[in-house]
Amino acid sequence: MQLGMIGLGRMGANMVRRLMRGGHDCVVFDLSPDNVKQLAGEGATGSNSLDDFIAKLNKPRAVWIMVPAGDATESTVNELAARLNKGDIIIDGGNSYFKDDARRAKALRERQINYVDVGTSGGVWGLERGYCMMIGGPKETFEHLDPIFKTLAPGHGSITRTPGSENISGTSEEGYLYCGPSGAGHFVKMIHNGIEYGLMQAYAEGFDIFRNAKSDQLPEEIRYDLNVADIAEVWRRGSVVSSWLLDLTAMALVEDPELAGYSGFVQDSGEGRWTIQAAIEEAVPAEVLSAALYTRFRSRQEHTFAEKILSAMRKKFGGHVEPK
């Protein structure tokens, strides 16, 4: 199947590579000519302008946008809408706000252009591991794009089936899911990221307690000089708290046990804030997720080992680099 990709950053470029490995034809465009040249050298069809990009796509065109959420996505959608035709498809795979998806989808329907929102998780590891995708938009458009989603997704892999799930139909066990109408995909991804904040904060606080167990403020008989890298490693093997986030934490601690390369300044992507806003609108208590978000705000004023753990995890799963 042919797909156009706009945005060849860390995730966009690797998604193109995974699709080409799966036999798909990819047309690519990016504001950086070097990024286009790199992918063209690997087998993609490069383009030097948005008009050139559109001209190289077969109808009905399918265009995947992988650019930063906000103004960049908004302007790209608007520029595409002015150039695409009835039956064409715009796919937003970034971290857009779900209410923006609903608004864009309504405007594009008037032009008879289909809009699909895809919450995408996988970060810099997606090329090899695959991408978990949460998808919203017209059901028939999702079904048309299924070969693309199936190739990008992790598939069953080595994960054992959930007991009692033998009769489950659909694609969830493959690592991608149709969630509902426009905005539903990014809504599910938004909550996913809010939960991620809470999980990361729990690990961060726990390891901070370990690191301070040797404090001279404690009675000498209960001071412990613990090897936090070894603790992370042993928890990876059979513990109820094992997870991919713990795997990444263990990796960071082996590389830099004191995390001296991190200041502890922790950014937030915006989705944590949107999750709390949704909880307020629904009158749902979300104490843990709220506290995790506020801790990130505080990290920009003072830094602890816990914040360094958070920074290390963000760099490992998403390639996020602390501001200097």
Side-chain angles (χ1 to χ4, degrees), residues 6 50 63 65 67 71-81 90:
I6 297 178
L50 200 54
V63 179
I65 303 171
V67 302
D71 292 342
T73 296
E74 189 75 17
S75 61
T76 303
V77 169
N78 290 338
E79 288 187 49
L80 285 171
I90 296 175

Side-chain angles (χ1 to χ4, degrees), residues 13 32 61 69 74 80-81 95 117 142 146 174-175 178 196 212 225 239 243 249-250 274 289 303:
S32 167
R61 307 175 184 92
E74 189 75 17
L80 285 171
N95 284 330
D117 53 285
F142 161 77
D146 187 74
E174 295 287 333
Y178 176 73
E196 180 184 288
N212 287 283
D225 188 1
S239 167
S243 71
T249 303
W274 298 339
L289 306 190
H303 310 308

Side-chain angles (χ1 to χ4, degrees), residues 23-172:
H24 298 280
D25 171 28
C26 293
V27 180
V28 299
F29 176 68
D30 191 270
L31 294 178
S32 167
D34 288 341
N35 289 350
V36 174
K37 184 178 179 180
Q38 176 66 42
L39 268 296
E42 297 178 32
T45 301
S47 52
N48 54 35
S49 69
L50 200 54
D51 288 328
D52 183 40
F53 170 80
I54 296 293
K56 290 176 177 175
L57 291 171
N58 302 324
K59 296 181 180 180
R61 307 175 184 92
V63 179
W64 190 302
I65 303 171
M66 210 66 188
V67 302
D71 292 342
T73 296
E74 189 75 17
S75 61
T76 303
V77 169
N78 290 338
E79 288 187 49
L80 285 171
R83 292 168 169 82
L84 295 179
N85 303 126
K86 174 182 177 181
D88 288 343
I89 304 166
I90 296 175
I91 308 154
D92 177 10
N95 284 330
S96 289
Y97 188 37
F98 73 98
K99 292 183 179 180
D100 289 335
D101 292 317
R103 171 180 53 78
R104 291 176 190 139
K106 181 179 180 181
L108 289 168
R109 274 196 300 272
E110 296 174 2
R111 297 171 176 259
Q112 296 182 289
I113 296 171
N114 297 299
Y115 181 87
V116 176
D117 53 285
V118 182
T120 310
S121 181
V124 296
W125 299 81
L127 175 60
E128 301 302 332
R129 289 171 57 102
Y131 301 88
C132 173
M133 290 169 290
M134 297 138 268
I135 304 158
K139 184 69 177 291
E140 60 275 15
T141 308
F142 161 77
E143 292 169 348
H144 172 75
L145 294 169
D146 187 74
I148 295 294
F149 299 136
K150 187 178 290 292
T151 299
L152 289 172
H156 284 271
S158 60
I159 298 174
T160 57
R161 300 195 76 174
T162 301
S165 67
E166 292 78 7
N167 296 322
I168 288 180
S169 60
T171 61
S172 58

